[in-house]
Amino acid sequence: MAGIDPQSYPQPVEWTQKSGSMLNSRSATLLVAGKSTMPVAVPIIAVGLSREFVMGRTLYDKLWDAHLVDQQDDGSALIYIDRHLIHEVTSPQAFEGLRLAGRSPRRLNANVAVPDHNVSTDPKERALGGYAGVADATSRIQLETLNGNCNDFNIPLIDLADQRQGIVHVMGPEQGATLPGMTIVCGDSHTSTHGAFGALAHGIGTSEVEHVLATQCLLTKKMDNFRVVLEGEAQSGVSAKDLALAVIGKIGTAGATGCALEFAGSAVRSLSMEGRMTLCNMAIEAGARAGMVAVDRVTLDYVKSRPMAPIGEQWEMAEEYWRTLHSDADAVFDRELIMDASAIEPQVTWGTSPEMVTSIEGTVPTIEEMCDETGKKSLERALGYMGLEQGMKLTDISVDMVFIGSCTNGRIEDMRAAAAVIRGHQKADNVERVLVVPGSGLVKAQAEAEGLDKVFKNAGMEWRAPGCSMCLAMNADKVESGKRCASTSNRNFEGRQGFGGRTHLVSPAMAAAAAVTGRFTHPAHLETL
Amino acid sequence: MEAFRVHSGLVVPLDRANVDTDLIIPKQFLKSIKRTGFGPNLFDELRYLDPFDQAAPSAVRQPNPEFSLNAPKYAGASILLSRENFGCGSSREHAVWALVQFGIRCVIAPSFADIFKNNAFKSGLLPLELDEAVVDSLFQQSADGDVVNLTIDLTSQQVTLPDGAQVNFTVDPFRRNCLLEGLDDIGITLQREDAITAFEQSHQRTQPWLFNEVNL
Ligand code: SF4
């Protein structure tokens, strides 16, 4: 098999001219545990030389360079899109736009569609099979529209009745539709999930969905490089979700706006692919459109033998390239945050934004702790909405509902983590409902093969059919007004899980511990209760 | 897309940070397969006291008198003033459509979330980043009971404040040009068809696995 000559990778147009100005503006701000040190200037060796000779490239730089079709003087760029994932909510208007303009999709095999946001997760309704069984008429029309559009335009589709159906960000990696080195977009902000594979993946709006369908490209601008290094060994009971929430708590929900976030460090390398997906999934909650992790053995092992992964000679060729998908040792980041992962405890959000988070041993902040007027107002509004008091202990908050699922925590590892805590326990009496929603039909089948469904059902919990469910509550799975939910999803915005519903974001183990104790409890303390 | 050159209008304040797209247009309205009809449900959960009833979509709702967009003095406002990280959260472009269909042409905030900002430009909505101090003073003037009228000139990239003072701003040159001309992105990109095809061919040579057929 012929080796890959790195020079033969598509090089960006006007590579050398563009590189000079980027160099001049490059400096790195090093943040260690949240404290900014002085910017570290990067010595400029020779402006005008290719950056390759000057300094190493970051993973994001490499992915960007390998997909740059055209760069304009005004900074706008056209990048090529390898994979476009489609779901029912953000695509109908895009297909309509294509129709009105008489355009057709440029490369059919770049697309994979699946219904997920608006599907019922009621096993009885799903057992009716297909779209005729969808009780909600408006939802049915939207689901049928996706089907119709895929049929009309010949877009590859995983149907509602297909066992591979699931949340688009769970299905993509499972099927090998997500591969290292790809550019991946989807009309959904949590597309950042796929960056876990060393891919450049981010959410786009509906106009961009139409743009990608028609041109196979995205008009965009290069983002800044931001590396979050999580060093050390995470404590037992601390999952990728806790790491993600701790990072968001540190930098805020706008902390990485305009950046591509690379997660690195020993705590990240020791995560499974599921864990890395959880981490990258939450990058958008820190404001970063894209999150990513370098390719290593764990990545390759996960990808190998997925239905859509290359095989034989193609695999070898791909693997050789994929092994280059990491930031070079001398790559310089615009920003960097280094955190001690071993100091991170299980996290719980207490407010209406993912940055309103603290450790399970912590307390709800007080007004005095807020440094400015906007902060004070936000705290007051959040506590009013959440029905919480300043200074109260997180472990004193009891919950009415528990949701285990979503593209953040709906994978097999999450089901296992929750079941491990629940096994031998019962749902607490004060908890009205516990919904366990596998992220895909394949996760569901695997969990059932391991008997996890029985663990949940025997504990008095609901084992549902795959879909987005209570993560965004488009359908019947809702948190009622005034009710409090421990949720493994990713957004605790006002009304996100239902009008007036109160969301606390947690890991699967924490959600499970809340389900059996009726309040927030450190999973490790469960045994001693 | 409707071009945006010079716009004069009334400012309506929404004094909160991190206004997310779930708040701008809640998910129950995302079931629509149309691009229109979102205006009446802009900020639905803030705007009305009673929750939307899907079974009776055209029922008369109870407006929340405390919410600024319902105040008679802000009737006809076309410029929304808010705080940092406006438009965070979900990528739903419906949020932009709802604002535009309500009659908003420009949102002023100290900062915007990336995806929202991107989406806004595609529908002729100007996401205008102004200094925190300027935003503060505009909020102050609104709180003092005055209605604030602004003129936003994208051609010269200047905002004229009520007292006649002018504040400069900058918009990404590419986006600015698209807004000024009302240009459609797809049309622009298709003009670069040759570059796309050339790229695609070399990409396929180096990473042929990306071009395999999808057999589901
Ligand atoms: S599970 Fe939630 S966050 Fe993920 S794609 Fe579905 S609605 Fe979006």
Side-chain angles (χ1 to χ4, degrees):
Chain A
M1 190 211 77
I4 299 180
D5 169 10
Q7 292 307 315
S8 71
Y9 279 104
Q11 296 293 312
V13 180
E14 297 175 50
W15 170 270
T16 42
Q17 273 106 318
K18 296 291 162 210
S19 58
S21 58
M22 285 178 72
L23 268 174
N24 285 325
S25 64
R26 279 206 154 211
S27 67
T29 308
L30 185 64
L31 283 147
V32 179
K35 283 200 196 84
S36 173
T37 59
M38 289 301 288
V40 182
V42 177
I44 295 162
I45 296 169
V47 174
L49 276 183
S50 162
R51 280 181 57 213
E52 245 176 313
F53 301 112
V54 180
M55 65 170 83
R57 290 183 296 161
T58 66
L59 171 58
Y60 172 59
D61 291 340
K62 291 180 184 182
L63 293 167
W64 174 269
D65 291 346
H67 292 88
L68 188 57
V69 172
D70 192 13
Q71 170 98 52
Q72 300 289 304
D73 291 338
D74 59 14
S76 71
L78 207 54
I79 62 166
Y80 190 79
I81 299 303
D82 297 321
R83 177 70 68 218
H84 181 211
L85 301 167
I86 298 169
H87 65 86
E88 74 277 25
V89 176
T90 54
S91 65
Q93 298 85 354
F95 283 112
E96 193 54 29
L98 283 187
R99 260 190 210 99
L100 288 173
R103 293 172 176 143
S104 48
R106 183 185 165 93
R107 189 160 72 80
L108 292 171
N109 286 315
N111 303 285
V112 179
V114 68
D116 59 357
H117 281 64
N118 201 0
V119 304
S120 164
T121 67
D122 178 351
K124 286 198 213 87
E125 191 173 327
R126 291 287 284 276
L128 296 173
Y131 301 95
V134 180
D136 180 290
T138 347
S139 299
R140 188 170 61 240
I141 293 171
Q142 192 172 55
L143 291 162
E144 284 171 343
T145 303
L146 178 68
N147 244 31
N149 284 329
C150 289
N151 283 335
D152 290 357
F153 289 102
N154 279 317
I155 300 275
L157 167 78
I158 291 179
D159 199 63
L160 182 60
D162 194 306
Q163 199 194 22
R164 299 167 296 177
Q165 179 272 340
I167 304 170
V168 62
H169 311 308
V170 177
M171 175 283 293
E174 272 176 359
Q175 293 306 314
T178 301
L179 294 173
M182 276 182 163
T183 41
I184 303 171
V185 293
C186 172
D188 186 281
S189 58
H190 290 97
T191 309
S192 59
T193 311
H194 309 261
F197 290 82
L200 173 56
H202 58 73
I204 55 176
T206 297
S207 294
E208 289 173 317
V209 169
E210 185 181 339
H211 188 278
V212 171
L213 282 168
T215 69
Q216 210 49 52
C217 290
L218 193 66
L219 257 172
T220 186
K221 257 190 134 168
K222 195 165 180 203
M223 301 179 266
D224 283 346
N225 280 290
F226 188 165
R227 177 160 64 181
V228 171
V229 183
L230 295 163
E231 283 295 352
E233 198 180 327
Q235 299 169 22
S236 95
V238 171
S239 69
K241 180 65 160 290
D242 301 299
L243 301 181
L245 287 171
V247 170
I248 295 163
K250 181 69 78 186
I251 66 175
T253 47
T257 301
C259 300
L261 209 52
E262 179 177 345
F263 295 100
S266 58
V268 175
R269 280 196 302 277
S270 63
L271 288 174
S272 65
M273 281 320 294
E274 281 83 355
R276 295 177 189 185
M277 283 189 255
T278 303
L279 200 54
C280 291
N281 174 279
M282 297 290 285
I284 183 69
E285 307 314 329
R289 286 180 84 176
M292 61 193 77
V293 174
V295 173
D296 63 8
R297 181 53 36 218
V298 178
T299 324
L300 298 175
D301 286 348
Y302 181 101
V303 172
K304 194 148 196 168
S305 71
R306 297 276 153 190
M308 290 170 70
I311 50 170
E313 250 188 47
Q314 263 197 0
W315 170 271
E316 282 167 34
M317 196 178 171
E319 182 176 332
E320 196 176 337
Y321 169 50
W322 293 344
R323 283 177 177 281
T324 66
L325 296 176
H326 52 78
S327 291
D328 294 331
D330 56 344
V332 175
F333 289 82
D334 301 288
R335 294 170 67 195
E336 191 155 29
L337 167 74
I338 301 170
M339 279 175 83
D340 176 5
S342 68
I344 294 172
E345 290 184 274
Q347 305 281 305
V348 189
T349 64
W350 48 263
T352 51
S353 160
E355 70 188 20
M356 295 174 165
V357 65
T358 188
S359 101
I360 177 69
E361 311 293 355
T363 53
V364 173
T366 58
I367 292 285
E368 290 78 58
E369 290 168 49
M370 296 291 122
C371 48
D372 61 9
E373 268 313 303
T374 313
K376 283 182 183 151
K377 265 192 204 150
S378 299
L379 177 69
E380 266 173 10
R381 184 182 296 119
L383 295 189
Y385 182 85
M386 293 297 290
L388 296 174
E389 301 299 330
Q390 299 179 46
M392 76 188 285
K393 283 163 89 174
L394 270 290
T395 47
D396 286 342
I397 301 173
S398 60
V399 303
D400 308 305
M401 301 180 92
V402 175
F403 169 62
I404 299 172
S406 87
C407 61
T408 313
N409 285 128
R411 298 184 177 80
I412 188 66
E413 197 175 84
D414 304 310
M415 301 292 122
R416 289 181 189 138
V421 172
I422 290 166
R423 195 170 277 126
H425 294 278
Q426 282 295 313
K427 174 179 79 62
D429 289 339
N430 65 305
V431 177
E432 296 163 22
R433 234 185 137 185
V434 180
L435 253 75
V436 189
V437 188
S440 72
L442 293 178
V443 171
K444 181 167 184 281
Q446 177 63 31
E448 287 171 0
E450 296 177 21
L452 305 183
D453 59 322
K454 300 229 170 50
V455 175
F456 298 121
K457 286 193 235 169
N458 291 343
M461 306 172 182
E462 295 174 52
W463 178 245
R464 312 279 294 189
C468 291
S469 183
M470 209 182 263
C471 173
L472 91 162
M474 258 185 93
N475 254 333
D477 308 344
K478 287 190 178 69
V479 178
E480 283 151 40
S481 191
K483 298 284 181 194
R484 189 178 299 289
C485 181
S487 176
T488 66
S489 54
N490 42 53
R491 287 189 175 136
N492 51 350
F493 300 154
E494 286 182 24
R496 171 77 179 185
Q497 293 195 291
F499 183 79
R502 296 162 171 170
T503 303
H504 295 266
L505 303 176
V506 287
S507 72
M510 288 279 287
V516 298
T517 63
R519 57 190 173 76
F520 292 110
T521 310
H522 194 309
H525 298 169
L526 201 57
E527 297 310 319
T528 59
L529 287 175
Chain B
M1 182 179 86
E2 198 184 334
F4 189 113
R5 293 196 183 94
V6 182
H7 178 79
S8 298
L10 176 64
V11 175
V12 54
L14 178 60
D15 194 357
R16 58 196 280 167
N18 298 314
V19 171
D20 60 80
T21 51
D22 276 87
L23 200 65
I24 300 173
I25 186 84
K27 67 256 159 192
Q28 56 269 37
F29 306 105
L30 307 190
K31 295 187 183 190
S32 167
I33 57 168
K34 300 205 199 80
R35 205 182 262 264
T36 51
F38 297 100
N41 303 107
L42 174 72
F43 294 116
D44 197 271
E45 292 177 0
L46 298 177
R47 215 162 129 197
Y48 304 104
L49 293 171
D50 48 341
F52 174 77
D53 179 3
Q54 213 189 305
S58 48
V60 177
R61 308 275 300 277
Q62 231 184 303
N64 176 1
E66 311 265 278
F67 186 53
S68 55
L69 265 72
N70 290 332
K73 67 173 177 173
Y74 296 126
S78 58
I79 301 169
L80 181 69
L81 177 69
S82 192
R83 298 282 183 184
E84 69 259 20
N85 201 26
F86 187 91
C88 62
S90 146
S91 63
R92 60 188 70 165
E93 199 164 320
H94 311 66
V96 170
W97 301 336
L99 285 162
V100 170
Q101 289 159 19
F102 177 83
I104 302 292
R105 293 294 327 267
C106 171
V107 181
I108 296 177
S111 62
F112 291 87
D114 286 339
I115 302 182
F116 177 86
K117 191 160 144 187
N118 226 11
N119 287 342
F121 284 117
K122 321 258 162 172
S123 289
L125 175 72
L126 178 65
L128 181 53
E129 276 169 0
L130 292 183
D131 259 8
E132 193 123 28
V134 178
V135 170
D136 262 342
S137 86
L138 289 173
F139 270 115
Q140 199 51 56
Q141 291 175 48
S142 295
D144 293 344
D146 301 341
V147 292
V148 177
N149 279 288
L150 295 178
T151 298
I152 297 157
D153 187 342
L154 185 60
T155 336
S156 62
Q157 302 192 88
Q158 277 184 328
V159 185
T160 308
L161 302 177
D163 62 4
Q166 293 192 320
V167 178
N168 294 329
F169 63 89
T170 47
V171 171
D172 174 86
F174 173 74
R175 287 293 156 213
R176 175 169 166 264
N177 192 40
C178 290
L179 270 186
L180 288 174
E181 305 297 329
L183 292 177
D184 153 38
D185 278 8
I186 299 180
I188 299 174
T189 300
L190 287 175
Q191 288 171 0
R192 300 195 229 165
E193 174 59 34
D194 291 352
I196 300 172
T197 304
F199 177 90
E200 201 163 46
Q201 285 165 355
S202 92
H203 202 46
Q204 184 161 13
R205 267 196 308 279
T206 51
Q207 300 187 50
W209 59 88
L210 295 175
F211 293 80
N212 292 344
E213 203 167 317
V214 176
N215 287 312
L216 291 173

